[in-house]
């Protein structure tokens, strides 16, 4: 009898998710300055940025922290709450203890449980001092907004919040993270940030059937609605072991490398959170992530990359610049859409202007190359299809406002492509820029049905249905048992 | 005849004027049905149409938009009047490139958005020529602001670079686009040698930001005939949004008659579908937003017993006063590279030459270095030299880098003899083709003789041109204006200050046809300002009624 | 654009692969030299590519060559013979570059064909006319001569607002 929504699966709406600037100190000084009330407030603001509260609690273009963002989860819609210090509609009445309970244990001031869409399983690791600073920030640094956010109404039995108590008993590890004295201060800082405020595992760690993060598979990759948060362990073949430290740092700061560009939830995380952290904190996070046990085909049982693994194949190494223009150029658009040239024609008409006819992108990398690109080279097509359907919107100081239009049903869609068109396009892309076998055929194949799944917001969860069935069966068993007992009682008398 | 659709307001035409009016109505809670003669297409298709054109015709704005048989629009002229749609007559050919597709001609415009100046609107009182507008610049200013924010127009913030040269009442929504090195050079040259300021042009293009959730301009240099990414505003980008707001948009619906009723109010419009079946669409108010050829053509075709001279035509001005911006384009060969083709196709211009007391004698002109990449114009010239191999490569490169197109766009005065009438030749649906008699007139010709071409030659000299090719005749800029002219006096005007037809109080005719003067700058932004003004009046009228 | 190693054959253009309008056997008017026999047996488009490579000393796309060759075959009944003659002139001079043999091509039909082939590769079309046959756009060599600074229209060279960098010098022409 456990049901939970843990995955932050947000179907990005067509509206550009503009980073709502945090009130006060969006790029606050690094924490560690203790003492003065001003610096506590600044530290709280910085921590709120690091925890990316705004990503869920601010509707794009709306009032900061006023909630109301609809989060599509595999088990239903969840609305984020108003966490401004409004006493009527927000958390203005919360004591610091109640604030701490919500962040660390997922329990509201009124005693009800929060769904783990609120990543309290990560925030539980926040230190007392940091909880205090966050509290000060939310009470004094955020404008109160008296408009209540919509109530979350999940389908039965997910609406039984008390069931979260059982889930928490099983899966919430609320121990404080103790510094490891064998490790550097930087590594410890990185672990604190990654496991706590930045809550990387929330997206990147695969989940079990009851949607808990799986032990022993930290950061090995997981589906997040229509997107896939890939393996970011140091495995050379399946993770990001091929990245240099500077590359990982740059990725966190800008969301962009030649071989990888952040989109979906990660673009939001970079735009709202990572780009505002100090360089020292980003380096620390990178150091920690690089130290994780490697999980993948070049790692041994101890989580170390095999010394003998001379590996040059990974999701960033496939494909080359290539094009199939001669198969349709000069024939006319309608003709080009027929037969074998269909995928190539769709690519030319919709993608080549920016990504160039041969997929090499622009020299400045603003429009990325499509070969040797982690999206095209992966063994999971979710990110490819999600990028096409939902586009990319990412704004950083270093990289400017990066924007790729969507191709779904949005009113600003460049072109609303059908499932079969996207499938043809994806197969063209995978054949030219993805992993291919010895015969040159793409290893991955996309069907129109695959496209529909991504269009629907990602694979759904059978949890609701199974929970209902489970409860129905349970109830039936109870009825039968009671009935049997009653009959037996009658028989006795 | 079937009754297919009805709404409070019926809008004929889904170009920029139609979509702007539609959105204002929808936002005010008023229902809208839009009728578009031509097809609804995707950007993808048009981009590929362009890429599939042979090099020699890639410069033709309308060739990427093959017309449907039922909605013919002007294509490159064959000279055979049975093949050509526009029947042209007179010393100057009123050749045009407007298209009848959902989204209209902003599909292929350059995005240039020069406002009128206060003097542009008072030609008669200031210079004794032409007509004054029925209101002043101050009246139009707030609507210009609305136009700039709706379309996403970027422009300079520097007070020294403003057009008109006066402080703005509201900043541009986006900063102006950068100049290419060639434009920087041109700017320096005209300043140093002639004292002219080459201004960054206000343009409907996303500058460094995804305004309106469309990508930012990255210099595809393909604005004409189509922006491949939608960074340039075109009305087609509004259509889906309008439908989400509740508009009904019928494409391939060729309106052929406007029906009047009691009180000479408009009752309905009739349209043909591709099967030549006619349908009747009713409403309470009607907007004809087909710009200055199709709108007067429709008004004339709708002549009935109440209006034997055509609708809205008691002034006899419908179809008259056809205006455009007659232009002279010089091709210069320079001895140093200017490298046209970096950035958008029109990025700057010299406007101060359009203003001055000389306008009592002759037309003003505005000068621009057109920024189209030169390969398509120079490749065949290079091949004709007979060079091969390395010499050919160098020849193409040199010509591409060192030839430049400088255009002088002139104003023209309204002349009732410049007139659109219904031709006896019919189109595929059996409707009359438009016939236009046009003569740019002495006012403009004198400008070329004594003013604009001498300036152009001095510009060429200052640039160090080693060869100058001057045209012998004016070409048209393809900016349709004048044929449903606005004025305070119904005796000589078709529409009032809200672009409402004097003869029919529920008929609005916003667009280029209402413009009382042309000045020298492209007409679209003024058309859109008029659309906002008309929409404001229409919303009031619809709610009050 | 720069790299065109995967160009699937143009299946629609059956014209070239054993089409009836093509010459089944290619006979030369000139002397039968050893090299000519080899040349004689290759499909028309390969021979056309050989000619093109001699006349245009740049990387040429095979798929585009197929289209140009098919069009030329429709216009010239003896295309194969003409190709042979021009190639022979080049071979007689041991030419690897067009400058080494072009002046030896006799005026008239052969020189016209040579110019036409060059024009087809550079312009990407069969002529300057509005109804010319389009062979390519992205591979038209005219754009390659200036691609370091001028984009092929509809294929911008950078991210937003990136065109105010200092321009390349007029010469030399980039390699392509």
């Amino acid at each position: 009898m456990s049901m939970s929504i843990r995955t932050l699966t947000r179907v990005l709406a067509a509206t550009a998710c503009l980073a709502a600037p945090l009130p006060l100190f969006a790029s606050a000084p690094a924490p560690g300055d203790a003492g003065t009330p001003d610096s506590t407030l600044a530290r709280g603001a910085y921590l709120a940025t690091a925890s990316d509260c705004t990503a869920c609690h601010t509707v794009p273009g709306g009032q900061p922290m006023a909630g109301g963002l609809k989060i599509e989860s595999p088990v239903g819609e969840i609305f984020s709450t108003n966490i401004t210090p409004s006493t009527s509609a927000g958390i203005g009445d919360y004591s610091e203890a109640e604030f701490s309970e919500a962040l660390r244990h997922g329990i509201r001031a009124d005693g009800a449980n929060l769904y783990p869409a609120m990543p309290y399983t990560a925030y539980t690791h926040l230190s007392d001092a940091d909880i205090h600073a966050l509290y000060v920030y939310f009470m004094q640094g955020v404008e109160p907004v008296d408009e209540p956010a919509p109530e979350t109404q999940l389908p039965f039995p997910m609406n039984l919040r008390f069931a979260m108590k059982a889930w928490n008993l099983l899966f919430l590890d609320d121990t404080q993270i103790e510094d490891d004295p064998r490790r550097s201060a930087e590594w410890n800082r990185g672990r604190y940030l990654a496991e706590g405020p930045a809550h990387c595992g929330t997206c990147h760690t695969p989940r079990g059937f009851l949607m808990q993060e799986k032990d022993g598979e930290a950061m090995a990759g997981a589906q997040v609605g229509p997107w896939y948060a890939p393996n970011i362990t140091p495995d050379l073949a399946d993770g990001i072991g091929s990245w240099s430290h500077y590359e990982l740092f740059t990725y966190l700061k800008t969301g962009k490398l030649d071989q990888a560009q952040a989109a979906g939830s990660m673009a939001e995380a970079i735009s709202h959170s990572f780009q505002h952290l100090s360089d020292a904190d980003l380096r620390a996070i990178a150091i920690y992530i690089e130290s994780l046990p490697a999980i993948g085909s070049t790692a041994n049982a101890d989580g170390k990359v095999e010394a003998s693994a001379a590996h040059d194949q990974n999701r960033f190494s496939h494909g080359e610049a290539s094009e199939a223009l001669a198969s349709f150029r000069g024939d006319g658009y309608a003709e080009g859409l027929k037969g074998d040239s269909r995928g190539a024609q769709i690519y030319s008409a919709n993608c080549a202007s920016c990504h160039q006819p041969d997929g090499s992108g622009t020299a400045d990398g603003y429009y990325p190359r499509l070969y040797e690109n982690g999206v095209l080279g992966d063994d999971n097509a979710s990110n490819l299809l999600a990028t096409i359907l939902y586009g990319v919107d990412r704004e950083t100081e270093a990289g400017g406002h990066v924007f790729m239009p969507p191709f779904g049903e949005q009113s600003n869609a460049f072109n609303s492509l059908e499932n079969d068109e996207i499938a043809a396009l994806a197969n063209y892309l995978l054949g030219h820029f993805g992993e291919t076998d010895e015969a040159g055929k793409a290893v991955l194949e996309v069907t129109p049905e695959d496209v529909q799944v991504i269009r629907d917001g990602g694979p759904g969860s059978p949890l609701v249905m199974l929970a209902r069935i489970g409860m129905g069966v349970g109830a039936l068993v109870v009825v039968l048992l009671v009935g049997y007992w009653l009959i037996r009682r009658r028989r006795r008398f | 005849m079937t009754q297919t659709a009805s709404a409070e307001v019926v809008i004929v035409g889904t170009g920029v004027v139609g979509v702007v009016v539609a959105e204002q109505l929808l936002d005010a809670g008023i229902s809208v049905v839009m009728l578009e003669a031509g097809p609804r297409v995707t950007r993808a298709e048009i981009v590929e149409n362009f890429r599939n054109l042979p090099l020699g015709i890639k410069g033709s704005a309308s060739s990427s938009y093959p017309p449907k048989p039922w909605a013919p629009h002007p294509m490159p002229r064959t000279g055979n009047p049975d093949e050509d749609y526009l029947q042209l007559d007179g010393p100057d050919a009123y050749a045009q490139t407007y298209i009848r597709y959902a989204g209209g001609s902003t599909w292929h415009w350059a995005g240039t958005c020069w406002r009128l100046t206060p003097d542009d609107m008072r030609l008669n009182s200031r210079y004794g020529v032409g007509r004054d507008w029925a209101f002043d610049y101050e009246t139009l200013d707030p609507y210009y602001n609305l136009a700039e924010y709706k379309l996403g127009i970027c422009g300079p913030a520097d007070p020294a670079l403003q057009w008109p040269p006066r402080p703005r009442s509201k900043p541009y929504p986006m900063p102006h686009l950068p100049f290419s090195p060639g434009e920087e050079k041109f700017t320096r040259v005209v300043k140093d040698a002639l004292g002219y300021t080459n201004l960054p042009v206000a343009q409907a293009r996303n500058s460094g930001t995804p305004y309106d959730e469309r990508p930012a301009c990255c210099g595809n240099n393909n604005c004409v005939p189509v922006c491949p990414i939608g960074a340039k505003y075109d009305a087609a980008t509004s259509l889906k949004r309008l439908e989400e707001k509740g508009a009904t948009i019928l494409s391939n619906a060729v309106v052929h008659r406007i029906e009047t009723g009691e009180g000479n109010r408009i009752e309905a419009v009739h349209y043909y579908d591709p099967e030549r079946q006619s349908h009747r669409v009713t409403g309470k108010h009607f907007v004809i937003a087909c710009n200055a050829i199709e709108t007067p053509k429709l008004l004339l075709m709708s002549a009935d017993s109440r209006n034997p001279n055509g609708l809205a035509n008691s002034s006899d001005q419908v179809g008259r006063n056809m205006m455009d911006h007659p232009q002279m384009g010089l091709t210069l060969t320079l001895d140093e590279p200017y490298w046209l083709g970096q950035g958008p196709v029109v990025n700057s211009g010299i406007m101060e030459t359009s203003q001055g007391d000389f306008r009592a004698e002759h037309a003003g002109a505005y000068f621009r270095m057109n920024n189209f990449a030169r390969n398509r114009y120079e490749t065949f010239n290079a091949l004709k030299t007979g060079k091969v191999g390395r010499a050919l490569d160098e020849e193409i490169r040199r010509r591409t880098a060192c030839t430049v197109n400088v255009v002088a766009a002139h104003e023209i005065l309204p002349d009732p003899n410049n007139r659109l009438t219904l031709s006896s030749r019919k189109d595929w649906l059996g409707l009359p083709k438009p016939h236009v008699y046009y003569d740019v007139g002495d006012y403009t010709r004198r400008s070329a003789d004594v003013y604009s071409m001498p300036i152009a030659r001095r510009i060429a000299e200052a640039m160090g041109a080693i060869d100058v090719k001057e045209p012998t005749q004016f070409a048209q800029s393809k900016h349709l204006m004048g044929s449903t002219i606005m004025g305070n006096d119904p005796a000589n005007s078709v529409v009032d200050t809200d672009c409402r037809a004097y003869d029919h109080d529920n008929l609005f005719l916003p667009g280029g046809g209402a413009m009382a003067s042309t000045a020298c700058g492209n007409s679209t932004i003024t058309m859109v300002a008029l659309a906002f003004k008309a929409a404001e009046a229409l919303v009031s009228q619809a709610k009050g009624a | 654009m720069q790299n065109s190693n995967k160009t699937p054959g143009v299946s629609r253009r059956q014209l070239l692969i054993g089409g009836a309008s093509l010459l089944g056997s290619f006979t030369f008017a000139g002397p039968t030299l050893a090299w000519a026999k080899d040349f004689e047996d290759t499909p028309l488009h390969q021979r056309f590519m050989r000619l093109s490579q001699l006349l245009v000393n740049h990387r040429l796309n095979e798929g585009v060559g197929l289209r140009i060759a098919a069009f030329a075959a429709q216009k010239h009944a003896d295309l194969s013979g003409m190709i042979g003659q021009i190639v022979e002139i080049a071979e007689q001079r041991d030419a690897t570059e067009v400058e080494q043999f072009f002046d030896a091509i006799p005026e008239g039909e052969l020189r016209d064909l040579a110019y036409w082939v060059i024009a087809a590769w550079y312009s990407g079309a069969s002529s300057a006319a509005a109804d010319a046959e389009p062979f390519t756009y992205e591979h038209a060599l005219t754009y390659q001569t200036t691609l370091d600074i001028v984009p092929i229209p509809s294929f911008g060279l950078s991210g937003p607002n990136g065109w105010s960098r200092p321009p390349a010098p007029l010469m030399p022409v980039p390699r392509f």
Side-chain angles (χ1 to χ4, degrees):
Chain A
M1 193 179 59
S2 322
M3 57 295 298
S4 60
I5 305 85
R6 189 61 183 84
T7 315
L8 285 173
T9 5
R10 291 166 250 151
V11 173
L12 288 179
T15 48
C17 188
L18 297 173
L22 278 183
L24 280 184
F25 307 91
S27 44
D33 325 338
T36 69
D38 272 352
S39 69
T40 305
L41 189 55
R43 183 175 157 148
Y46 185 81
L47 283 160
T49 299
S51 310
D52 205 3
C53 310
T54 197
C56 289
H57 285 280
T58 306
V59 165
Q63 306 272 46
M65 309 302 179
L69 183 71
K70 186 167 68 171
I71 299 162
E72 302 269 1
S73 82
V75 293
E77 287 170 359
I78 298 178
F79 289 97
S80 64
T81 50
N82 181 333
I83 54 172
T84 71
S86 159
T87 46
S88 57
I91 56 168
D93 279 345
Y94 272 48
S95 68
E96 187 168 328
E98 287 167 332
F99 183 80
S100 172
E101 270 303 277
L103 274 187
R104 286 218 179 106
H105 297 127
I107 297 173
R108 297 197 306 221
D110 65 359
N113 281 73
L114 302 173
Y115 296 110
M118 164 70 180
Y120 58 84
T121 50
Y123 297 153
T124 199
H125 300 306
L126 286 164
S127 68
D128 292 341
D130 283 351
I131 295 266
H132 172 70
L134 279 166
Y135 180 71
V136 167
Y137 170 70
F138 274 96
M139 291 302 137
Q140 298 176 22
V142 178
E143 277 296 306
V145 174
D146 292 327
E147 223 181 280
E151 285 284 316
T152 294
Q153 308 275 9
L154 287 178
F156 180 84
M158 274 44 182
N159 55 343
L160 304 176
R161 287 179 183 261
F162 67 80
M164 288 309 306
K165 294 196 193 312
W167 191 91
N168 287 344
L169 269 177
L170 284 172
F171 301 123
L172 174 62
D173 173 8
D174 65 348
T175 52
Q176 292 285 283
I177 295 183
E178 300 274 326
D179 276 0
D180 184 341
R182 297 167 302 169
R183 301 283 205 161
S184 67
E186 253 195 312
W187 182 94
N188 280 306
R189 174 73 184 157
R191 178 171 70 158
Y192 178 76
L193 288 171
E195 301 290 353
H199 61 284
C200 310
T202 303
C203 291
H204 286 278
T205 300
R207 290 174 182 275
F209 179 69
L210 298 179
M211 313 207 77
Q212 78 289 7
E213 287 177 41
K214 280 183 176 167
D215 270 339
E217 294 192 36
M219 317 292 183
Q223 190 79 23
V224 183
W227 303 92
Y228 187 79
N231 181 332
I232 54 172
T233 73
D235 191 86
L236 272 178
D238 300 304
I240 56 171
S242 61
W243 290 17
S244 71
H245 174 76
Y246 184 67
E247 281 178 319
L248 180 51
F249 167 82
T250 302
Y251 183 83
L252 291 173
K253 194 169 179 72
T254 67
K256 184 192 120 163
L257 297 171
D258 285 337
Q259 73 271 35
Q261 299 83 35
S265 311
M266 192 60 185
E268 285 182 340
I270 307 264
S271 301
H272 298 177
S273 176
F274 287 110
Q275 70 150 330
H276 298 302
L277 300 188
S278 66
D279 283 359
D281 278 348
L282 291 181
R283 275 197 299 272
I285 293 172
I287 284 174
Y288 173 68
I289 296 291
E290 286 155 2
S291 76
L292 287 170
I295 299 171
S297 56
T298 63
N300 59 23
D302 295 327
K304 296 271 175 273
V305 169
E306 295 274 76
S308 62
H311 219 278
D312 57 357
Q313 294 284 302
N314 52 54
R315 64 179 181 270
F316 311 103
S317 69
H318 298 296
E320 57 187 0
S322 69
E323 41 81 15
L325 287 163
S327 67
F328 62 90
R329 174 62 66 233
D331 289 343
Y333 182 63
E335 196 59 36
L337 288 173
K338 298 181 189 159
D340 290 338
S341 60
R342 182 171 171 76
Q345 170 70 94
I346 295 174
Y347 175 78
S348 175
N350 293 281
C351 322
S353 182
C354 295
H355 291 284
Q356 305 304 307
D358 66 355
S360 49
T362 47
D364 61 5
Y366 182 92
Y367 302 113
R369 64 174 191 234
L370 300 180
Y371 59 89
E372 291 173 5
N373 185 310
V375 165
L376 280 298
D378 210 348
D379 56 7
N380 178 323
S382 293
N383 286 338
L384 175 59
L385 300 178
T387 302
I388 294 171
L389 279 166
Y390 302 113
V392 178
D393 196 330
R394 186 178 76 234
E395 188 166 10
T396 57
E397 233 181 277
H401 195 155
V402 170
F403 181 83
M404 166 176 157
F407 290 81
E409 290 299 316
Q410 305 88 349
S411 64
N412 73 324
F414 172 93
N415 187 11
S416 293
L417 293 172
E418 307 283 340
N419 287 347
D420 75 285
E421 290 174 307
I422 294 180
L425 171 62
N427 288 322
Y428 167 83
L429 292 169
L430 292 168
H432 282 249
F433 309 120
E435 189 181 353
T436 49
D437 60 23
E438 298 85 41
K441 192 169 170 318
V443 154
L444 202 54
E445 203 194 310
V446 169
T447 66
E449 291 73 36
D450 296 331
V451 180
Q452 186 62 42
V453 167
I454 302 300
R455 210 189 272 276
D456 287 338
S461 168
L463 265 181
V464 178
M465 185 188 69
L466 289 168
R468 286 177 177 172
I469 290 172
M471 293 186 78
V473 166
L476 185 62
V477 166
V478 166
V479 162
L480 288 172
L481 282 173
V482 166
Y484 176 69
W485 179 78
L486 283 174
I487 290 166
R488 288 228 31 210
R489 273 194 68 198
R490 273 205 209 102
R491 286 226 184 109
R492 267 196 222 124
F493 294 108
Chain B
M1 193 200 313
T2 50
Q3 171 77 40
T4 36
S6 181
E8 267 190 84
V9 180
V10 179
I11 300 178
V12 182
T14 57
V16 65
V17 167
V19 303
V20 162
V21 173
E23 193 151 26
Q24 296 304 101
L25 293 167
L26 292 163
D27 287 347
I30 297 167
S31 66
V32 165
V33 62
M34 303 184 80
L35 303 172
E36 167 55 50
R40 188 107 168 235
V41 294
T42 62
R43 187 177 309 279
E45 178 182 349
I46 302 302
V47 169
E48 287 298 300
N49 285 353
F50 163 74
R51 292 176 178 155
N52 283 322
L53 292 175
L55 190 66
I57 196 83
K58 278 193 149 80
S60 154
S62 49
S63 292
S64 299
Y65 303 90
K68 295 293 186 195
W70 48 87
H73 57 235
M75 294 294 273
R77 300 185 61 71
T78 64
N80 179 345
D82 287 312
E83 275 188 55
D84 291 336
Y85 176 56
L86 288 185
Q87 309 295 300
L88 302 182
D89 215 344
D92 299 285
Y94 196 72
Q96 298 297 327
T97 53
Y98 68 90
I99 59 172
R100 292 165 88 190
Y101 268 41
S105 305
T106 49
W107 268 111
H108 67 53
W109 72 317
T112 302
C113 292
W114 299 110
R115 294 187 179 199
L116 296 171
T117 68
D119 282 350
D120 290 341
M121 300 174 75
R122 310 183 283 194
L123 286 185
N124 198 275
S125 22
R126 284 228 56 190
Y127 309 111
V129 297
R131 293 171 68 129
D132 281 355
W133 279 66
F135 45 73
D136 62 7
Y137 179 86
E138 299 305 328
T139 307
L140 199 53
D141 178 56
Y143 303 103
Y144 272 137
N145 288 335
L146 288 170
E148 286 160 353
Y149 276 78
K150 176 65 74 176
L151 269 50
I153 292 176
C154 64
D158 185 345
L161 298 176
Q162 293 307 312
W163 193 262
R166 47 182 278 154
R168 290 178 55 89
S169 54
K170 206 171 170 183
Y172 283 105
M174 288 176 281
H176 71 92
L177 288 166
F179 279 4
S180 66
E183 283 170 316
E184 298 275 12
K185 198 186 306 207
F186 180 78
T187 303
R188 273 197 308 276
V189 162
V190 299
K191 182 62 124 182
D192 293 345
L194 299 157
Y196 293 140
T197 308
N198 186 36
L199 300 170
V201 67
Q203 48 192 305
R205 219 175 310 286
N206 284 353
S207 169
T209 186
Y211 190 90
D212 200 31
E213 293 162 4
R214 293 177 283 108
C217 177
C218 63
N220 282 302
N221 198 250
N222 208 64
C223 328
V224 184
V226 61
C227 177
I229 62 174
K232 177 194 80 173
Y233 172 87
D234 60 62
T237 59
S238 306
L239 296 175
K240 205 154 182 180
R241 190 174 71 233
L242 293 182
E243 284 174 321
E244 281 172 13
K245 290 188 175 184
T248 301
I249 301 178
L250 302 177
S251 46
N252 299 312
V254 183
V255 175
H256 60 93
R257 181 161 84 89
I258 304 170
E259 180 192 319
T260 60
E262 219 183 281
N264 214 10
R265 306 189 85 239
I266 310 302
E267 295 285 324
V269 295
H270 297 250
Y271 74 84
Y272 282 126
D273 65 27
E275 275 79 54
R276 295 187 171 109
Q277 296 300 305
S278 189
H279 307 262
R280 184 171 181 264
V281 179
T282 55
K284 301 212 187 81
H285 309 272
F286 295 78
V287 179
I288 313 296
C290 308
N291 215 2
I293 283 184
E294 296 296 331
T295 295
K297 173 189 146 202
L298 180 57
L299 294 171
L300 295 174
M301 287 196 312
S302 304
D304 58 17
S305 51
R306 285 188 197 88
N307 305 277
N309 226 17
L311 296 198
N313 203 17
S314 58
S315 62
D316 190 37
Q317 295 304 300
V318 169
R320 291 189 187 272
N321 310 303
M322 300 296 299
M323 295 185 282
D324 194 328
H325 294 117
Q327 67 178 33
M328 290 268 186
L330 282 68
T331 301
L332 314 180
T333 304
L334 308 152
D335 62 4
E336 54 175 330
Y338 269 72
W339 290 117
L340 263 42
Q342 299 178 77
V345 300
V346 176
N347 202 18
S348 60
I350 302 167
M351 283 305 273
E352 60 200 90
T353 47
S354 70
Q355 310 288 299
D357 291 336
F358 60 79
R359 289 165 97 179
E361 314 299 328
H362 61 75
Y366 113 78
F367 296 87
R368 65 176 186 266
M369 189 170 74
N370 260 355
N371 194 30
F372 289 84
R374 300 290 301 165
N375 304 72
R376 74 176 64 128
Y377 306 110
E378 295 301 326
T379 301
F380 292 109
N381 293 338
L383 287 164
K384 279 200 207 109
T385 63
K387 291 180 175 162
V388 298
R390 271 183 295 279
L392 175 61
D393 293 341
E394 288 174 3
E395 182 69 20
I396 295 175
R397 184 175 170 89
R398 190 185 57 75
R399 283 171 180 266
T400 299
C402 300
T403 61
V404 152
N405 178 229
V406 171
V407 173
H410 305 76
E411 63 185 323
I412 191 179
L413 296 179
D415 178 351
N417 292 321
N418 286 339
R419 187 182 184 197
L420 177 146
T421 52
L422 302 176
S423 166
S424 54
R425 285 203 165 80
K426 308 287 190 221
D427 67 18
W428 186 86
L429 281 171
L431 303 173
K433 292 185 178 180
H435 178 283
V436 181
Y437 174 92
Y438 192 62
D439 178 350
V440 303
D442 290 338
Y443 183 74
T444 304
R445 267 190 257 284
R446 201 173 307 125
S447 175
D449 286 341
V450 308
Y451 181 68
S452 64
M453 286 301 99
I455 292 176
R457 290 179 203 118
R458 288 209 298 279
I459 291 176
E461 195 186 12
M463 290 170 77
I466 55 184
D467 183 69
V468 179
K469 286 190 179 36
E470 271 188 46
T472 50
Q473 269 214 299
F474 287 100
Q476 301 313 315
S477 298
K478 321 302 196 293
H479 304 150
L480 305 166
M481 293 170 282
S483 53
T484 51
I485 206 158
M486 177 197 288
N488 278 321
D489 183 356
N492 61 20
S493 316
V494 178
V495 299
D496 66 16
T497 56
D498 292 321
C499 296
R500 186 191 292 102
Y502 276 116
D503 292 356
H504 317 273
D505 64 15
N506 67 339
L507 179 66
F508 287 76
L509 310 171
M515 290 174 67
S517 72
T518 67
C520 298
N522 311 40
S523 46
T524 303
I525 189 179
T526 301
M527 289 165 56
V528 176
L530 291 176
F532 273 106
K533 191 168 194 295
E536 188 183 65
L538 179 48
V539 166
S540 260
Q541 190 170 313
K543 293 199 141 147
Chain C
M1 278 165 311
Q2 273 86 1
N3 202 336
S4 50
N5 40 358
K6 274 194 203 171
T7 51
V10 180
S11 57
R12 279 183 217 94
R13 299 291 183 172
Q14 293 304 319
L15 197 59
L16 280 181
I17 323 294
S21 56
L22 280 194
L23 308 171
S25 65
F26 312 116
T27 52
F28 292 116
T32 313
L33 303 172
W35 59 265
K37 205 159 173 2
D38 289 341
F39 195 71
E40 190 174 348
D41 289 340
T42 59
L44 183 59
H45 84 270
Q46 284 182 18
R47 298 160 73 187
F48 182 81
M49 289 306 294
R50 168 94 175 104
L51 171 70
S52 298
Q53 204 63 75
L54 286 166
L55 291 172
V56 180
N57 311 130
H58 294 293
R59 279 195 298 276
L60 300 178
N61 182 286
E62 292 242 357
V64 173
L66 204 57
R67 286 177 180 263
I68 301 175
F71 185 87
Q74 288 182 305
K75 299 293 179 197
H76 301 279
D78 186 31
L79 177 65
S80 183
M82 294 167 79
I83 292 175
Q85 288 177 67
I86 300 174
V87 170
E88 186 185 339
I89 293 167
E91 299 258 349
Q92 277 175 352
R93 287 206 178 174
D94 281 322
T96 50
E97 294 179 337
V98 62
E99 290 91 343
Q100 293 166 343
F101 75 98
F102 194 85
D103 59 316
I105 303 174
E107 287 206 22
E109 214 187 27
L110 287 184
R111 176 137 340 165
D112 288 349
L113 176 66
Y115 272 130
W116 183 87
V117 169
I118 293 170
W121 283 104
Y122 275 86
S123 72
S126 62
S127 77
D131 60 354
E133 177 78 12
F135 301 129
T136 181
Y137 175 48
E138 293 86 347
H139 291 300
L141 296 181
T142 174
Y143 295 112
Q144 295 295 321
T145 67
T146 52
L147 201 53
D148 54 336
I149 190 70
V150 180
I152 302 176
S154 81
F155 298 108
L157 292 173
S158 73
N161 293 7
W163 53 81
S164 42
R165 57 192 178 281
L170 183 58
M171 293 298 158
V173 180
R175 292 234 184 98
F176 61 95

